[in-house]
Amino acid sequence: MVIPDSTHPPPAKDDERLAAQLRRMPSCSTCTRFLSRILPPLLAAALLFMAVSGHVTLTSMRSDVDRDAIRHAKALTPILGDLLPAGRRDETTDALAAIKSNPAMRRAEVRAPDGALIAAYGREPTPDMSMAEQPILRPANQGTDSEIGRLLIYYDYEEATARFTGRFIGQAIRLLLTACVLFLCGYFAYQTTVGRPLRLLLKSIRDTDAAGRPVAVQWDCDDEIGKIIHAHNTMVRHLADKESALVESEKRHRQLFDNAMVGIFDTRRDGSVRSANATVAEILAYPSVEAMLEANIERHYLDVKERTRLWEKLQEKGSVSNFRTRFRRADGEIIWTNVSGRLNPDGSLSGTIDDVTAQVEAHQALKERDELHRAFFEENKAVMLLHDPQTACIQFVNPAACNFYGYTEKELTSMTLRDLDSMTDLEVFEELKAAANEKRAYFKRVHTLKDGTRRFVEVFTGPVSLGSRQLHYSIIHDVTEKRRLEARLERMATRDQLTGSYNRHAFFERGTKEIARARRFKHPLTLLMLDLDHFKDVNDTHGHAVGDEVLRVFALRCRVDLRETDTFARLGGEEFAAMLVETGEDLAMEAAKRIRRMAASKPIPTSAGDLTVTASIGVATLRDGENLAQLLQRADKGMYAAKAGGRNQIVKS
């Protein structure tokens, strides 16, 4: 329904014409249409049901007649079996007369086995009769029955058909009466619940009030018709509210136009202003809207070519959006503006104008800053990468990165950081954990260059915003030489320079940690103290150079025999120690025996020839509450006991 504007009277003539058309529309009862559509299929279904039901009933009645004939035949044959051998024909005929008790049975015959008629009762059979046949048997001397004749009973279905016809007609009459009663009840119910409220609703639509609006319907019901009438009444009640709302809406739109923070204007083709709000006057530095309506906006364009280009776009597309141009205000100040608008059919322009001078200046400053950052990024000698923190895809690289990795910029930006990283996932995880524990601001990684070279790098990473995108900015320092020097210094600090085994300081440091770990996880730990027997004689006889060769080979053989997790160290001179982690006394004794046998049975090749040295070994297993010094003291005590016992022995302490 069209809601008329409150400032204009409703078109009364159109409403009257519509009402007249409604009155002239042909009246066709909804009930009549409903019945004309529902009755034919219902009648057809009823007739079909009656036909099927009648067929089933007639078939059942005929089956009953068939069963009665067979039952009579079976009942008569024993009697006839006694009468026929005695030749008593009159009694036989009287027995056949028993069929008259059933009106469907017309004739009964007794025939000899050769077909000769012996006795009969009833009228002659006709072709349309049915027949029930039953043999007449007589017991024989050998215990078997012999057939002495046959009983034939002829019957028809006339009586059953007559009974069926009467019953069927009665059912049809009852069905018809029931249908008539249901029809009358349904018609009355329809008129009461649907017909009357629909007529009232139609009358209310046709009969309008003085304002041309439909009147309310006086009907109260909670069914579907009641809901429709309620919706109609609700619409009627709200029509007046809608008209007043239109007036209020126009008032609000006027306030929105006047108080909008963006300039809204309407200009003619020649540039004269037809209407504008206060924001336009403020942007162009006019004291009031009235003062601006007397001016021409054409003179405010700083460049006439810009105005020409604006109108060319308007004529080409019909509208423009955010057309940026410079205006000279009435006070002479030059400003940047965004003009948006649509060309009207009469050639005028309706649109908006916004002062964007601050945005333009900020954009220019941001552009200069971006150029400065780009120059810093591209000209820096340090390797720099910008990558996505979610996917690790490399987004930007500087020339120093291309020179370092050996890839072109296009190749690098098609790769991820994982393509450059040579560390396994476990190694990366351990490094991240170590960096967090050490509170480092960088990560130690191993990167692979294009030529396959692996370089140790330190990666300094931090977040950076690039427009609406959040990226990670990484500076990468090549510390390969530094790491090599650190590794060399660490080896010099922890390794014995002669044998390559751990030195005394490293042994005590690692031993303390292993004892703490054994206590925490309740694992066994055993310490072996080894001393080469008569080693001073080797030095005195063959010189210290040969003695050094013996120490190196012995230490190497022991390290090969032990596990990587065990700690083998030279404590001084020809004295060594082996800390066996997660090893009880029995397994430690086996390891000690292997070392003792190896030393005694495998000569050591030297420049002075093959030399055989033996070892005395003390074994001590960690006890509760014991520290490294105490454990070492017990193992040392066992070693000296082995020497005192004749050397080349193993003693537990």
Side-chain angles (χ1 to χ4, degrees), residues 273-321:
V273 181
R274 292 197 297 195
S275 63
N277 64 352
T279 306
V280 178
E282 181 182 352
I283 291 174
L284 298 180
Y286 282 98
S288 65
V289 175
E290 291 74 14
M292 191 185 68
L293 294 177
E294 299 175 359
N296 192 304
I297 203 171
E298 300 292 331
R299 69 184 185 87
H300 288 284
Y301 283 94
L302 186 64
D303 188 351
V304 179
K305 295 180 180 179
E306 291 294 314
R307 177 191 177 278
T308 303
R309 191 160 64 88
L310 170 64
W311 279 94
E312 287 177 352
K313 285 191 173 184
L314 284 170
Q315 292 172 350
E316 178 184 356
K317 299 182 178 179
S319 64
V320 294
S321 178

Side-chain angles (χ1 to χ4, degrees), residues 17-68:
R17 189 181 304 111
L18 177 60
Q21 291 177 356
L22 289 173
R23 295 189 189 97
R24 290 195 299 269
M25 289 177 62
S27 177
C28 182
S29 172
T30 306
C31 182
T32 303
R33 290 185 178 180
F34 173 77
L35 292 177
S36 64
R37 294 177 182 176
I38 197 63
L39 283 180
L42 286 179
L43 289 175
L47 291 175
L48 179 61
F49 173 75
M50 290 178 64
V52 174
S53 176
H55 175 73
V56 173
T57 303
L58 181 58
T59 303
S60 176
M61 294 176 70
R62 289 186 175 185
S63 297
D64 291 342
V65 173
D66 293 337
R67 286 192 294 271
D68 286 346

Side-chain angles (χ1 to χ4, degrees), residues 427-476:
E427 291 173 338
V428 171
F429 175 76
E430 293 295 335
E431 165 56 21
L432 293 176
K433 187 167 64 173
N437 294 335
E438 298 171 14
K439 298 182 180 181
R440 285 192 272 109
Y442 62 90
F443 302 103
K444 299 177 181 180
R445 309 299 277 268
V446 180
H447 283 187
T448 304
L449 310 186
K450 186 175 183 180
D451 60 4
T453 304
R454 292 189 176 185
R455 308 291 291 182
F456 294 97
V457 296
E458 292 178 352
V459 181
F460 295 79
T461 300
V464 63
S465 297
L466 189 61
S468 60
R469 303 170 61 188
Q470 295 294 325
L471 301 177
H472 276 183
Y473 176 73
S474 295
I475 300 177
I476 299 168

Side-chain angles (χ1 to χ4, degrees), residues 44-349:
L47 291 175
L48 179 61
F49 173 75
M50 290 178 64
V52 174
S53 176
H55 175 73
V56 173
T57 303
L58 181 58
T59 303
S60 176
M61 294 176 70
R62 289 186 175 185
S63 297
D64 291 342
V65 173
D66 293 337
R67 286 192 294 271
D68 286 346
I70 294 173
R71 187 167 56 252
H72 272 76
K74 289 182 177 180
L76 286 174
T77 50
I79 299 173
L80 295 176
D82 295 334
L83 296 176
L84 286 181
R88 302 165 66 179
R89 291 179 176 271
D90 293 336
E91 287 82 351
T92 301
T93 303
D94 292 338
L96 295 179
I99 64 171
K100 63 183 179 181
S101 62
N102 192 323
M105 300 180 189
R106 302 301 183 182
R107 181 179 175 84
E109 295 179 352
V110 176
R111 293 183 179 272
D114 59 358
L117 180 63
I118 299 174
Y121 176 82
R123 70 183 185 184
E124 290 295 326
T126 59
D128 59 343
M129 290 184 181
S130 299
M131 182 185 69
E133 185 177 1
Q134 190 71 19
I136 302 172
L137 303 176
R138 178 183 179 185
N141 295 329
Q142 289 79 11
T144 59
D145 296 335
S146 62
E147 182 177 339
I148 60 174
R150 300 192 70 81
L151 172 62
L152 305 179
I153 296 179
Y154 295 90
Y155 60 93
D156 57 22
Y157 302 111
E158 291 180 3
E159 190 274 339
T161 303
R163 284 190 293 112
F164 165 74
T165 302
R167 186 184 302 176
F168 183 78
I169 293 173
Q171 289 180 349
I173 293 173
R174 287 193 295 272
L175 180 62
L176 181 60
L177 291 176
T178 303
C180 292
V181 172
L182 291 176
F183 170 76
L184 292 176
C185 293
Y187 182 79
F188 176 77
Y190 175 84
Q191 292 297 334
T192 303
T193 59
V194 179
R196 183 167 177 265
L198 285 180
R199 286 194 298 273
L200 291 175
L201 179 61
L202 181 60
K203 184 176 183 301
S204 70
I205 295 174
R206 289 174 176 172
D207 300 337
T208 58
D209 60 9
R213 297 188 298 266
V215 296
V217 180
Q218 300 302 321
W219 184 267
D220 187 13
C221 188
D222 59 355
D223 58 6
E224 288 79 1
I225 299 297
K227 292 179 181 178
I228 295 174
I229 293 176
H230 176 72
H232 168 78
N233 293 340
T234 303
M235 179 190 68
V236 171
R237 286 194 300 270
H238 284 76
L239 275 177
D241 296 339
K242 293 296 183 181
E243 291 180 359
S244 60
L246 284 175
V247 176
E248 185 66 24
S249 176
E250 183 180 356
K251 181 180 178 180
R252 289 197 302 270
H253 280 85
R254 187 69 220 181
Q255 292 176 348
L256 180 64
F257 175 80
D258 292 337
N259 300 327
M261 299 304 295
V262 63
I264 304 174
F265 64 88
D266 183 21
T267 63
R268 299 181 182 88
R269 183 70 176 83
D270 59 0
S272 59
V273 181
R274 292 197 297 195
S275 63
N277 64 352
T279 306
V280 178
E282 181 182 352
I283 291 174
L284 298 180
Y286 282 98
S288 65
V289 175
E290 291 74 14
M292 191 185 68
L293 294 177
E294 299 175 359
N296 192 304
I297 203 171
E298 300 292 331
R299 69 184 185 87
H300 288 284
Y301 283 94
L302 186 64
D303 188 351
V304 179
K305 295 180 180 179
E306 291 294 314
R307 177 191 177 278
T308 303
R309 191 160 64 88
L310 170 64
W311 279 94
E312 287 177 352
K313 285 191 173 184
L314 284 170
Q315 292 172 350
E316 178 184 356
K317 299 182 178 179
S319 64
V320 294
S321 178
N322 294 327
F323 181 85
R324 183 160 294 181
T325 183
R326 289 180 297 171
F327 273 26
R328 189 187 302 276
R329 295 175 13 133
D331 58 4
E333 182 183 352
I334 297 174
I335 60 173
W336 283 94
T337 63
N338 276 349
V339 178
S340 301
R342 186 179 298 277
L343 199 62
N344 298 319
D346 61 354
S348 62
L349 173 63

